[in-house]
Amino acid sequence: MKKILDKSEIQKVIELLLELYPDAKAELNFTNPFELLIATILSAQCTDVRVNKTTDSLFKELKTPQDYIELGERELGKRIYSCGFYKNKSKNIVETCRILEEKYEGNVPDTIEELMKLPGVGRKTANVVASNAFGVPAIAVDTHVFRVSNRIGLANSKNVLDTEKDLMDNIDKNMWTKAHHLIIFHGRRICKARNPLCEECPIRPHCLYYKSGGKR
Ligand code: SF4
């Protein structure tokens, strides 16, 4: 049994996913890079639906990094409580806002390297913000991308960093960001964590997990 699909098969899988989810895009609501940064920090261990409910009112009240600094950790914590880990998240957000004010004149930096220096911003968050807010080609590997890519055979890795590398090696650079959204959409709708809906999945003829009888 193959460990990973050939490049041409991976291309075919991406085409099938494109047919299935022509409108795949970020499911977090935002209108500018700063809002996306805040929403992405909030989305750690939380659903996009829950984050969108929270930011719906939060973004009406708070517009700039200075607004978050003036509000302070404690009050921010009350507003983001339902997203979980609210103490850590509010601490990271306020600290991030301080850095944005002090180092970047209140703007969000546009490179993955600079973004990763902000508190609460790991590689996945940096990739999400850089690609969706600034058009930097990137494949953010979250729990869905990790699971679905390694099931199908788009990647063959035990960790998110190597999964990202496999995907970047095998998918055209101009498709990285789109592929990220396509794979997440598939993971949320069909290739679910516990019970993947293989019988209704158009990727089935290519999928190494399916071909192995679920043993991969
Ligand atoms: S065939 Fe099953 S395991 Fe493979 S991508 Fe589809 S749902 Fe996921």
Side-chain angles (χ1 to χ4, degrees):
M1 172 67 72
K2 277 188 195 175
K3 297 269 186 211
I4 190 165
L5 298 177
D6 308 336
K7 229 171 170 170
S8 61
E9 282 177 293
I10 291 175
Q11 174 69 31
K12 181 70 198 161
V13 168
I14 298 297
E15 282 167 18
L16 286 169
L17 290 174
L18 259 177
E19 279 172 28
L20 202 55
Y21 312 110
D23 301 322
K25 59 176 174 51
E27 293 187 283
L28 288 173
N29 294 336
F30 65 97
T31 62
N32 57 51
F34 179 59
E35 286 186 356
L36 178 59
L37 175 61
I38 300 296
T40 312
I41 293 175
L42 289 176
S43 73
Q45 311 286 323
C46 183
T47 65
D48 288 357
V49 173
R50 166 60 59 197
V51 172
N52 287 339
K53 274 191 190 145
T54 301
T55 56
D56 190 37
S57 51
L58 193 71
F59 292 165
K60 286 192 185 98
E61 182 190 357
L62 306 171
K63 309 276 185 204
T64 65
Q66 191 59 38
D67 292 341
Y68 286 81
I69 295 167
E70 281 169 17
L71 183 69
E73 270 177 48
R74 206 181 154 86
E75 283 301 311
L76 179 60
K78 291 181 193 166
R79 286 158 177 77
I80 64 169
Y81 178 81
S82 63
C83 292
F85 302 97
Y86 70 98
K87 281 188 184 163
N88 258 344
K89 288 179 183 176
S90 68
K91 187 169 184 272
N92 285 334
I93 287 172
V94 171
E95 189 52 34
T96 283
C97 287
R98 281 207 183 92
I99 296 171
L100 296 185
E101 282 296 341
E102 284 164 15
K103 237 181 130 181
Y104 301 100
E105 298 176 343
N107 296 311
V108 176
D110 60 4
T111 67
I112 292 167
E113 293 70 28
E114 290 296 302
L115 284 162
M116 280 177 67
K117 290 179 190 159
L118 300 170
V121 179
R123 187 167 182 88
K124 185 196 79 177
T125 302
N127 279 349
V128 166
V129 175
S131 59
N132 291 295
F134 299 113
V136 175
I139 304 182
V141 179
D142 70 353
T143 171
H144 297 294
V145 176
F146 179 72
R147 178 185 74 254
V148 175
S149 303
N150 283 291
R151 270 184 183 163
I152 297 175
L154 307 177
N156 178 38
S157 324
K158 296 264 181 281
N159 61 63
V160 291
L161 209 59
D162 288 339
T163 298
E164 184 182 334
K165 194 174 171 309
D166 280 353
L167 292 171
M168 289 195 300
D169 285 346
N170 288 303
I171 295 172
D172 289 345
K173 196 169 181 177
N174 63 357
M175 282 300 292
W176 286 356
T177 302
K178 188 71 179 177
H180 157 82
H181 294 310
L182 291 170
I183 297 167
I184 289 183
F185 263 54
H186 197 55
R188 285 188 175 145
R189 288 155 181 80
I190 294 182
C191 194
K192 300 176 183 210
R194 292 231 174 121
N195 294 309
L197 308 175
C198 299
E199 296 310 319
E200 61 184 74
C201 177
I203 308 301
R204 213 172 41 182
H206 305 276
C207 177
L208 296 181
Y209 176 94
Y210 184 76
K211 288 181 185 174
S212 72
K215 293 199 183 71
R216 182 177 159 84

